[in-house]
Amino acid sequence: MRTQRQVLRVLTAMMAIVIVLVAGGCKGNDSESSTAADNSGANSQSENASGEFSCPEKNTIKFAKTKFTWHAGAGFGAFHRWIYKPAKAGTFKKGADGRVKAFVKAGAAALFVKRQVRLASEDAKANPTLCKSIVKPMKSISDKVSDAVKSARKGDLGEIDSLNGDISSVMTQSKDQGSEITPDEKVNIGK
Protein backbone atom coordinates (compact mmCIF):
# COMPACT_ATOMS: atom_id res chain seq x y z
CA MET A 1 0.00 0.00 0.00
CA ARG A 2 1.10 3.50 -0.74
CA THR A 3 1.38 6.07 1.97
CA GLN A 4 -0.28 9.46 1.76
CA ARG A 5 3.09 11.05 1.06
CA GLN A 6 3.68 8.76 -1.96
CA VAL A 7 0.21 9.46 -3.31
CA LEU A 8 0.76 13.20 -2.90
CA ARG A 9 4.06 12.99 -4.80
CA VAL A 10 2.45 11.07 -7.65
CA LEU A 11 -0.42 13.58 -7.84
CA THR A 12 2.04 16.48 -7.77
CA ALA A 13 4.04 14.97 -10.61
CA MET A 14 0.86 14.44 -12.61
CA MET A 15 -0.18 18.05 -12.01
CA ALA A 16 3.22 19.26 -13.20
CA ILE A 17 2.86 17.25 -16.42
CA VAL A 18 -0.62 18.69 -17.01
CA ILE A 19 0.70 22.21 -16.44
CA VAL A 20 3.47 21.71 -18.99
CA LEU A 21 0.99 20.33 -21.53
CA VAL A 22 -1.48 23.15 -20.95
CA ALA A 23 1.26 25.80 -21.12
CA GLY A 24 2.41 24.38 -24.44
CA GLY A 25 -1.12 24.75 -25.77
CA CYS A 26 -1.41 28.38 -24.66
CA LYS A 27 1.10 29.64 -27.17
CA GLY A 28 -0.76 28.12 -30.11
CA ASN A 29 -3.99 29.82 -29.12
CA ASP A 30 -2.31 33.21 -28.80
CA SER A 31 -0.51 32.95 -32.13
CA GLU A 32 -3.80 32.20 -33.86
CA SER A 33 -5.47 35.25 -32.34
CA SER A 34 -2.50 37.52 -33.06
CA THR A 35 -2.39 36.27 -36.65
CA ALA A 36 -6.05 37.13 -37.03
CA ALA A 37 -5.37 40.63 -35.66
CA ASP A 38 -2.44 41.09 -38.03
CA ASN A 39 -4.50 39.96 -41.00
CA SER A 40 -7.32 42.37 -40.17
CA GLY A 41 -4.93 45.31 -40.02
CA ALA A 42 -6.12 46.25 -36.53
CA ASN A 43 -2.64 46.24 -35.04
CA SER A 44 -0.53 48.86 -36.81
CA GLN A 45 2.51 49.27 -34.58
CA SER A 46 5.71 49.00 -36.50
CA GLU A 47 9.07 47.72 -35.38
CA ASN A 48 12.27 49.38 -36.48
CA ALA A 49 15.59 47.65 -37.22
CA SER A 50 16.61 47.57 -33.54
CA GLY A 51 13.44 45.66 -32.60
CA GLU A 52 11.75 48.61 -30.88
CA PHE A 53 8.26 49.63 -31.87
CA SER A 54 6.69 53.02 -32.43
CA CYS A 55 3.64 54.00 -30.45
CA PRO A 56 0.44 54.68 -32.39
CA GLU A 57 -1.13 58.13 -32.64
CA LYS A 58 -4.58 56.72 -31.85
CA ASN A 59 -5.98 53.44 -30.49
CA THR A 60 -5.38 50.55 -32.86
CA ILE A 61 -7.47 48.03 -30.87
CA LYS A 62 -10.98 48.69 -29.60
CA PHE A 63 -11.14 49.03 -25.80
CA ALA A 64 -7.34 48.78 -25.49
CA LYS A 65 -7.25 50.36 -22.00
CA THR A 66 -10.08 48.15 -20.75
CA LYS A 67 -8.41 45.01 -22.05
CA PHE A 68 -5.07 46.15 -20.64
CA THR A 69 -6.47 46.68 -17.15
CA TRP A 70 -8.30 43.32 -17.20
CA HIS A 71 -5.28 41.28 -18.34
CA ALA A 72 -2.90 43.12 -16.01
CA GLY A 73 -5.34 42.72 -13.09
CA ALA A 74 -5.66 38.98 -13.75
CA GLY A 75 -1.90 38.49 -14.00
CA PHE A 76 -1.06 40.65 -10.98
CA GLY A 77 -3.80 39.00 -8.89
CA ALA A 78 -2.46 35.54 -9.73
CA PHE A 79 1.04 36.67 -8.79
CA HIS A 80 -0.11 37.96 -5.41
CA ARG A 81 -2.26 34.93 -4.58
CA TRP A 82 -0.08 32.06 -5.76
CA ILE A 83 3.48 33.46 -5.57
CA TYR A 84 3.84 36.53 -3.34
CA LYS A 85 1.57 35.55 -0.44
CA PRO A 86 2.94 31.97 -0.10
CA ALA A 87 6.48 33.38 -0.19
CA LYS A 88 5.69 35.83 2.60
CA ALA A 89 3.92 33.09 4.61
CA GLY A 90 7.04 30.92 4.49
CA THR A 91 5.45 28.16 2.41
CA PHE A 92 8.45 28.06 0.04
CA LYS A 93 10.97 27.39 2.83
CA LYS A 94 12.60 23.97 3.00
CA GLY A 95 10.68 21.66 5.27
CA ALA A 96 7.47 23.73 5.18
CA ASP A 97 4.18 21.86 5.03
CA GLY A 98 2.71 21.96 1.53
CA ARG A 99 5.93 23.21 -0.06
CA VAL A 100 5.75 20.98 -3.15
CA LYS A 101 2.10 21.80 -3.73
CA ALA A 102 2.85 25.52 -3.33
CA PHE A 103 5.62 25.33 -5.93
CA VAL A 104 3.39 23.47 -8.39
CA LYS A 105 0.76 26.19 -8.01
CA ALA A 106 3.43 28.92 -8.23
CA GLY A 107 4.75 27.38 -11.45
CA ALA A 108 1.29 27.33 -12.98
CA ALA A 109 0.71 30.89 -11.79
CA ALA A 110 4.02 32.02 -13.31
CA LEU A 111 2.92 30.72 -16.72
CA PHE A 112 -0.46 32.40 -16.30
CA VAL A 113 1.14 35.69 -15.22
CA LYS A 114 3.53 35.67 -18.19
CA ARG A 115 0.64 35.14 -20.60
CA GLN A 116 -1.59 37.80 -19.04
CA VAL A 117 1.26 40.33 -18.89
CA ARG A 118 2.09 39.65 -22.55
CA LEU A 119 -1.55 40.16 -23.55
CA ALA A 120 -1.73 43.34 -21.43
CA SER A 121 1.44 44.61 -23.12
CA GLU A 122 -0.07 44.08 -26.55
CA ASP A 123 -3.11 46.09 -25.48
CA ALA A 124 -0.87 48.81 -24.02
CA LYS A 125 1.03 49.00 -27.33
CA ALA A 126 -2.29 49.75 -29.04
CA ASN A 127 -2.97 52.82 -26.86
CA PRO A 128 -0.87 55.96 -27.38
CA THR A 129 -0.95 56.96 -23.69
CA LEU A 130 -0.09 53.57 -22.19
CA CYS A 131 2.38 52.68 -24.92
CA LYS A 132 4.92 55.29 -23.90
CA SER A 133 5.05 54.50 -20.18
CA ILE A 134 3.87 50.94 -19.56
CA VAL A 135 5.23 48.61 -22.24
CA LYS A 136 8.88 48.40 -21.08
CA PRO A 137 8.05 47.80 -17.39
CA MET A 138 5.51 45.13 -18.41
CA LYS A 139 8.17 43.31 -20.45
CA SER A 140 10.45 43.42 -17.42
CA ILE A 141 7.75 41.78 -15.28
CA SER A 142 7.18 39.08 -17.87
CA ASP A 143 10.90 38.37 -18.07
CA LYS A 144 11.34 38.14 -14.28
CA VAL A 145 8.39 36.04 -13.09
CA SER A 146 9.74 32.56 -13.92
CA ASP A 147 13.18 33.40 -12.54
CA ALA A 148 11.61 34.64 -9.31
CA VAL A 149 9.89 31.28 -8.74
CA LYS A 150 13.12 29.41 -9.58
CA SER A 151 15.04 31.55 -7.07
CA ALA A 152 12.39 30.91 -4.42
CA ARG A 153 12.99 27.18 -4.87
CA LYS A 154 16.59 27.82 -3.84
CA GLY A 155 15.46 29.82 -0.80
CA ASP A 156 16.02 33.31 -2.27
CA LEU A 157 12.87 35.44 -2.01
CA GLY A 158 14.59 38.66 -3.10
CA GLU A 159 13.44 38.37 -6.70
CA ILE A 160 9.82 37.90 -5.61
CA ASP A 161 10.05 41.09 -3.53
CA SER A 162 11.68 42.91 -6.47
CA LEU A 163 8.96 41.69 -8.82
CA ASN A 164 6.27 42.86 -6.39
CA GLY A 165 7.91 46.31 -6.44
CA ASP A 166 7.87 46.33 -10.25
CA ILE A 167 4.19 45.40 -10.26
CA SER A 168 3.38 48.18 -7.78
CA SER A 169 5.28 50.64 -9.97
CA VAL A 170 3.33 49.61 -13.09
CA MET A 171 0.06 49.91 -11.17
CA THR A 172 0.98 53.45 -10.09
CA GLN A 173 2.08 54.47 -13.61
CA SER A 174 -1.08 53.00 -15.09
CA LYS A 175 -3.27 54.84 -12.59
CA ASP A 176 -1.46 58.07 -13.47
CA GLN A 177 -2.35 57.42 -17.13
CA GLY A 178 -6.05 56.95 -16.29
CA SER A 179 -6.17 53.14 -16.23
CA GLU A 180 -6.42 51.81 -12.69
CA ILE A 181 -5.44 48.14 -12.38
CA THR A 182 -7.26 46.11 -9.73
CA PRO A 183 -5.49 42.78 -9.03
CA ASP A 184 -8.00 39.92 -9.22
CA GLU A 185 -6.82 37.29 -6.76
CA LYS A 186 -9.86 35.11 -7.50
CA VAL A 187 -8.98 34.65 -11.17
CA ASN A 188 -9.01 31.03 -12.36
CA ILE A 189 -5.48 30.23 -13.55
CA GLY A 190 -6.59 26.92 -15.03
CA LYS A 191 -8.19 28.48 -18.12
Side-chain angles (χ1 to χ4, degrees), residues 105-167:
K105 288 180 181 180
L111 293 172
F112 181 83
V113 170
K114 285 180 74 81
R115 181 172 189 268
Q116 293 304 316
V117 166
R118 185 174 44 76
L119 292 172
S121 293
E122 292 301 315
D123 294 326
K125 286 178 187 178
N127 179 276
T129 307
L130 293 174
C131 181
K132 294 172 186 164
S133 61
I134 299 292
V135 174
K136 285 183 182 179
M138 291 294 281
K139 180 167 179 6
S140 174
I141 290 169
S142 179
D143 292 344
K144 288 181 179 180
V145 71
S146 293
D147 292 336
V149 173
K150 288 177 188 173
S151 293
R153 243 184 259 147
K154 297 174 185 173
D156 178 16
L157 301 180
E159 287 191 45
I160 289 177
D161 287 331
S162 173
L163 187 56
N164 188 54
D166 293 348
I167 288 172

Side-chain angles (χ1 to χ4, degrees), residues 42-183:
N43 195 352
S44 65
Q45 294 93 22
S46 60
E47 288 192 20
N48 61 23
S50 66
E52 293 190 25
F53 59 90
S54 60
C55 294
E57 292 181 26
K58 62 180 184 173
N59 279 347
T60 57
I61 296 176
K62 288 184 180 182
F63 306 109
K65 278 187 173 183
T66 303
K67 291 177 182 178
F68 165 78
T69 56
W70 187 89
H71 287 296
F76 296 170
F79 168 78
H80 280 109
R81 179 177 180 187
W82 301 109
I83 300 172
Y84 185 74
K85 285 183 177 179
K88 288 299 173 188
T91 310
F92 294 155
K93 291 183 180 179
K94 290 185 180 183
D97 286 339
R99 182 174 188 254
V100 173
K101 185 177 178 182
F103 274 120
V104 170
K105 288 180 181 180
L111 293 172
F112 181 83
V113 170
K114 285 180 74 81
R115 181 172 189 268
Q116 293 304 316
V117 166
R118 185 174 44 76
L119 292 172
S121 293
E122 292 301 315
D123 294 326
K125 286 178 187 178
N127 179 276
T129 307
L130 293 174
C131 181
K132 294 172 186 164
S133 61
I134 299 292
V135 174
K136 285 183 182 179
M138 291 294 281
K139 180 167 179 6
S140 174
I141 290 169
S142 179
D143 292 344
K144 288 181 179 180
V145 71
S146 293
D147 292 336
V149 173
K150 288 177 188 173
S151 293
R153 243 184 259 147
K154 297 174 185 173
D156 178 16
L157 301 180
E159 287 191 45
I160 289 177
D161 287 331
S162 173
L163 187 56
N164 188 54
D166 293 348
I167 288 172
S168 295
S169 175
V170 165
M171 289 176 63
T172 300
Q173 289 175 358
S174 178
K175 186 175 182 179
D176 292 346
Q177 299 299 324
S179 298
E180 188 168 357
I181 299 168
T182 304

